[in-house]
Amino acid sequence: MNLKLLMILLIAFCGSSTSVCVKRSPLQNEFKNKLYYFESDYKASWFNAFVACRNMGMELLSIDSDEEFDKIHEFVKEKMNYRNGLTIWTSGVMKQKGQFIWINTGNPVTLSKWWSGTPNNYGGHEFCMHVWLKHKQFLLNDAECQMESYYICESRKI
């Protein structure tokens, strides 16, 4: 069965309690107190990814530690087409030049896993944060919010 069709059926069946049902999805993983859903078929702008996660009763990915970042990296290798140029939205947004926060919590992004020289707000239009696989490195980068990328949603374990 097509995974997109499975998700549509899952959403139709689960209604407003989708986050409970997503736990049973083959596209999910767990780490500590979080469940993750990996969207690897549909690319979206940052805003549309944010809305898609909310519609599932989840939130766009926030990464609390370098340890969690490394675990997400492992999951991405398992769940997604791991290739050069892969980009994945997070909930990171620019608060002010050079400073990003997680939109879900308002907490500052304190990870050390940034591409060299970033965030740089290249061209004055990079207000959203994604994870980028380039030259065999998987690191954070600032990007234009209307760019289309895959995304990861998360929820707290119940």
Side-chain angles (χ1 to χ4, degrees), residues 62-157:
S62 298
I63 306 170
D64 300 330
S65 65
D66 285 345
E67 176 189 22
E68 183 182 9
F69 182 92
D70 293 339
K71 193 58 145 172
I72 294 293
H73 187 194
E74 288 177 32
F75 292 154
V76 166
K77 286 179 182 178
E78 295 169 10
K79 299 283 184 185
M80 303 181 99
N81 184 4
Y82 193 75
R83 71 198 177 313
N84 194 46
L86 174 67
T87 58
I88 303 164
W89 285 125
T90 71
S91 72
V93 294
M94 184 188 295
K95 181 177 179 180
Q96 54 189 329
K97 189 171 181 174
Q99 182 184 11
F100 277 73
I101 61 168
W102 301 115
I103 195 75
N104 303 334
T105 64
N107 294 333
V109 174
T110 58
L111 300 171
S112 65
K113 307 284 185 164
W114 284 93
W115 275 92
S116 178
T118 63
N120 60 4
N121 193 24
Y122 183 77
H125 303 285
E126 295 185 331
F127 304 114
C128 295
M129 185 175 68
H130 65 180
V131 183
W132 189 20
L133 176 64
K134 187 167 176 141
H135 306 303
K136 299 182 182 180
Q137 293 185 345
F138 189 75
L139 297 168
L140 299 171
N141 184 50
D142 53 338
E144 293 186 14
C145 302
Q146 72 272 14
M147 182 180 90
E148 292 198 340
S149 295
Y150 298 111
Y151 53 93
I152 300 172
C153 303
E154 69 178 21
S155 67
R156 300 284 174 186
K157 283 195 234 178

Side-chain angles (χ1 to χ4, degrees), residues 23-39:
K23 284 196 268 188
R24 297 182 197 112
S25 168
L27 300 174
Q28 66 85 33
N29 277 83
E30 297 181 27
F31 178 68
K32 294 191 176 184
N33 65 340
K34 290 184 180 180
L35 296 169
Y36 306 97
Y37 167 78
F38 295 78
E39 179 51 70

